[in-house]
């Protein structure tokens, strides 16, 4: 109906799937993802050998695993980006149901691997973190509900999506995983704002988040310990934040040199949560700025392409995915420089981790699918009274 009223961009009849995908996909964002993955392998070569040595593995054991998981993630990303929005939505709903059930069963069958938070299922040969797969699928389901609520006679999508968000946030907070809980809440808040939420309501919600944080600080030793460490004027040099801060300071502008960094021998999570500290120490501020620019390019280009999209579901889902992707990267890097409390969150496509890499591939694949150019006029043409 939209094309009947507003007109459509001519399509190439009988065009094969792969050439059509290459012609319509955002090549800049795709290139940035590939570069980030390459940087992740490069940093893994520096950061993971000490951990492999401590665990009795070959020097590049974790690098090889990252290459395997990363290759699988890239294949999943390309496959998902070739799908249409309706197919993506249907698969995301099924994925969300599975991830939601898996998340709810973590207290009974999950493990904490000695880290104090039950977030994983141990499969023996690997581990799975359900929250990583829940995030992108939740964005799709919430965007679907919010978009449906804008239709005449549509369901109460805003109320349903809010109830869904609260239930997920509570389950994540009980693990405890406050970082992922905040990320899910942020993703929903961004989509709700784009869908036309009043500012007063968003301010009330922000106040409720602060209140919930206060309650968590008073009742969760895990949460309180991280907040106290963040607010402390002095950094204990023997903590992960202390090692990371010193590594960034030592790196300077150009770094101490490839393989010359020392933080990887002290940080147990140098290849995951604090990978940016390894980058800053060995390659300096130059590589850090390149990484930031790559993430910024993906987010900004995606949002600019989504601004031209007519379909409210695609706009909301794409905005949620892009903002969540960018904020996760910002949180990871912010923790390393003490701008934020420790969250235990990976750097997308750079940090080691099977669940985070594959889930990141799914999320970015969805984002690339939503930002592909489509056979329709742009929304700006309608506002200017002009047809394509």
């Amino acid at each position: 109906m939209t094309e009947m009223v507003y007109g459509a961009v001519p399509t190439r009849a009988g065009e094969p799937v792969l050439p059509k995908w290459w012609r319509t996909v955002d090549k800049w964002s795709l290139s940035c993802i590939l570069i980030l993955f390459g940087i992740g392998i490069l940093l893994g070569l520096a950061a993971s050998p000490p951990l492999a040595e401590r665990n009795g593995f070959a020097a590049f054991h974790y690098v090889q695993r990252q290459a395997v998981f990363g290759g699988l993630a890239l294949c999943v990303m390309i496959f998902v980006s070739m799908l249409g929005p309706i197919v993506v939505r249907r698969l995301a709903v099924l994925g969300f149901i599975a991830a939601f059930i898996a998340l709810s069963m973590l207290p009974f069958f999950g493990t904490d691997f000695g880290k104090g938070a039950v977030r994983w299922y141990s499969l023996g040969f690997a581990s799975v973190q359900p929250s990583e797969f829940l995030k992108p699928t939740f964005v799709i389901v919430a965007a679907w509900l919010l978009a449906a609520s804008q239709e005449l006679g549509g369901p109460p999508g805003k109320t349903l999506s809010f109830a869904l968000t609260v239930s997920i946030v509570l389950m994540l907070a009980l693990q405890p995983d406050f970082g992922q809980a905040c990320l899910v809440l942020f993703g929903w808040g961004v989509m709700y704002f784009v869908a036309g939420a009043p500012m007063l309501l968003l301010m009330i919600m922000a106040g409720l988040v602060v209140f919930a944080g206060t309650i968590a600080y008073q009742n969760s030793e895990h949460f309180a310990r991280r907040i106290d460490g963040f607010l402390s004027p002095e950094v204990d040099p023997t903590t992960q934040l202390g090692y990371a801060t010193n590594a960034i300071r030592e790196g300077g502008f150009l770094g101490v040199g490839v393989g010359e960094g020392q933080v990887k021998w002290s940080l147990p999570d140098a290849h995951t949560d604090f990978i940016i500290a390894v980058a800053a120490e060995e390659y300096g501020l130059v590589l850090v700025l390149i990484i930031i620019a790559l993430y910024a390019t993906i987010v900004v280009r995606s949002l600019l392409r989504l601004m031209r999209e007519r379909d409210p579901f695609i706009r909301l889902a794409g905005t949620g995915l892009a903002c969540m992707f960018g904020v996760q990267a910002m949180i990871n890097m912010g923790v390393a420089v003490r701008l934020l409390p420790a969250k235990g969150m990976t750097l997308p496509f750079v940090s080691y981790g099977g669940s985070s890499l594959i889930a990141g591939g799914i999320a970015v694949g969805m984002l690339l699918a939503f930002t592909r150019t489509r056979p329709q006029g742009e929304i700006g043409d309608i506002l200017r009274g002009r047809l394509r």
Side-chain angles (χ1 to χ4, degrees), residues 156-319:
K158 293 181 179 179
T159 303
L160 292 175
S161 66
F162 178 70
L164 202 59
T165 303
V166 171
S167 63
I168 293 171
V169 167
L170 288 176
M171 284 194 293
L172 290 172
L174 290 175
Q175 290 184 2
D177 191 349
F178 295 103
Q180 300 285 16
C182 290
L183 198 57
V184 167
L185 190 59
F186 168 80
W188 179 83
V190 168
M191 291 187 293
Y192 195 36
F193 173 75
V194 174
M199 288 300 299
L200 179 60
L201 180 59
L202 292 175
M203 292 174 65
I204 293 174
M205 290 176 56
L208 291 175
V209 170
V210 174
F211 175 75
T214 304
I215 298 298
Y217 179 81
Q218 295 173 346
N219 294 276
S220 172
E221 181 183 351
H222 177 84
F223 186 79
R225 184 170 61 251
R226 293 198 169 189
I227 295 297
D228 290 341
F230 170 68
L231 296 177
S232 175
E234 296 182 359
V235 182
D236 185 350
T238 61
T239 62
Q240 293 199 95
L241 281 176
Y243 289 129
T245 302
N246 183 67
I248 294 171
R249 186 185 305 114
E250 291 293 328
F253 188 74
L254 296 175
V256 297
V258 179
E260 299 298 323
Q262 298 300 314
V263 69
K264 57 195 176 188
W265 297 98
S266 306
L267 273 175
D269 294 328
H271 64 315
T272 54
D273 299 353
F274 290 92
I275 191 73
I276 198 67
V278 177
E281 183 181 31
E282 297 202 0
Y283 297 93
L285 181 62
V286 174
L287 182 60
V288 175
L289 292 178
I290 291 173
I291 293 173
I292 293 173
L294 291 170
Y295 284 115
T297 300
I298 295 168
V299 174
V300 172
R301 282 192 60 86
S302 298
L303 293 178
L304 289 176
R305 291 170 77 94
L306 289 166
M307 287 175 62
R308 303 194 296 265
E309 179 58 54
R310 291 179 184 175
D311 191 318
F313 162 70
I314 295 176
R315 281 203 309 272
L316 294 173
T319 301

Side-chain angles (χ1 to χ4, degrees), residues 97-109 121 130 134 171 175:
I97 294 172
F100 187 86
I101 294 173
L103 186 70
S104 64
M105 299 301 291
L106 269 177
F108 307 103
F109 303 104
Y121 286 106
L134 184 73
M171 284 194 293
Q175 290 184 2

Side-chain angles (χ1 to χ4, degrees), residues 360-372:
I362 294 172
V364 175
M366 292 175 175
L367 181 59
L368 291 173
F370 291 144
T371 55
R372 287 171 59 185

